[in-house]
Amino acid sequence: MPYPPDAAPADRPDDLDSRDLDSREPADHVLVMGAALLHEGRVLAARRTSPPEARGMWEFPGGKVEPGESPEEALVREIAEELGCRVRVRGELEGEQLVKRGYVLRVAVAELVEGEPVPHEHDAVRWLRHDELDAVTWLAPDLPFLDEVAALLKGGY
């Protein structure tokens, strides 16, 4: 159950991991995990280079969960591959979105543990404050997660 968006940091659990990262994957979909990577009051957005219809649009970085891999393991692996840094998954945002036929996106909250994000598969990354989330053009599946991310950032996460 999510905490109220206006809850002060002390009113929130230390971890958001009361939401089960493993329990909601539909058997007929490939699970794609995105990271709402929060650091110093900002969230990281990554700009896509492909496919052509997504080029120049922004997303929460991440990728597909491979067979035998937990969503958390996949996200840590994907961020290391895509951005060359290490993150810790703290929990998951509400909901999931269809990316395309057969692919479902869920977004986890993560924090930077080691290194600085450097794009390897994107052409740019950008740290955004809650009031800057509309400064980039997000991919449609990422849009429904922005309100909860904004609330986390406003709440001092």
Side-chain angles (χ1 to χ4, degrees):
M1 170 176 255
Y3 57 85
D6 58 344
D11 297 333
R12 295 190 307 241
D14 287 334
D15 289 333
L16 298 175
D17 59 10
S18 60
R19 300 177 198 172
D20 186 351
L21 291 174
D22 296 311
S23 65
R24 296 180 295 165
E25 181 180 355
D28 59 339
H29 286 90
V30 173
L31 178 59
V32 177
M33 291 299 296
L37 180 53
L38 306 181
H39 184 67
E40 297 179 352
R42 299 173 297 161
V43 66
L44 189 76
R47 190 169 61 191
R48 295 287 303 253
T49 59
S50 64
E53 62 273 13
R55 183 174 294 127
M57 298 183 79
W58 296 77
E59 68 177 352
F60 295 114
K64 292 182 279 191
V65 177
E66 300 295 338
E69 192 174 44
S70 74
E72 182 175 341
E73 291 167 337
L75 197 55
V76 169
R77 175 186 52 77
E78 287 283 352
I79 297 302
E81 291 172 3
E82 289 185 9
L83 300 172
C85 58
R86 196 163 60 92
V87 299
R88 177 182 306 121
V89 175
R90 302 292 292 194
E92 191 170 337
L93 300 178
E94 289 292 329
E96 60 186 29
Q97 293 295 314
L98 187 65
V99 176
K100 62 182 180 181
R101 186 178 179 149
Y103 291 82
V104 172
L105 172 68
R106 290 181 6 214
V107 177
V109 174
E111 63 185 4
L112 193 58
V113 173
E114 185 178 300
E116 288 295 322
V118 176
H120 296 260
E121 297 180 15
H122 297 84
D123 68 350
V125 293
R126 185 171 170 188
W127 290 104
L128 302 168
R129 292 185 317 266
H130 72 88
D131 58 348
E132 297 174 314
L133 292 175
D134 61 355
V136 300
T137 304
W138 291 89
L139 289 170
D142 294 72
L143 289 171
F145 298 101
L146 294 178
D147 285 345
E148 192 172 356
V149 169
L152 287 169
L153 294 173
K154 285 180 194 175
Y157 199 93

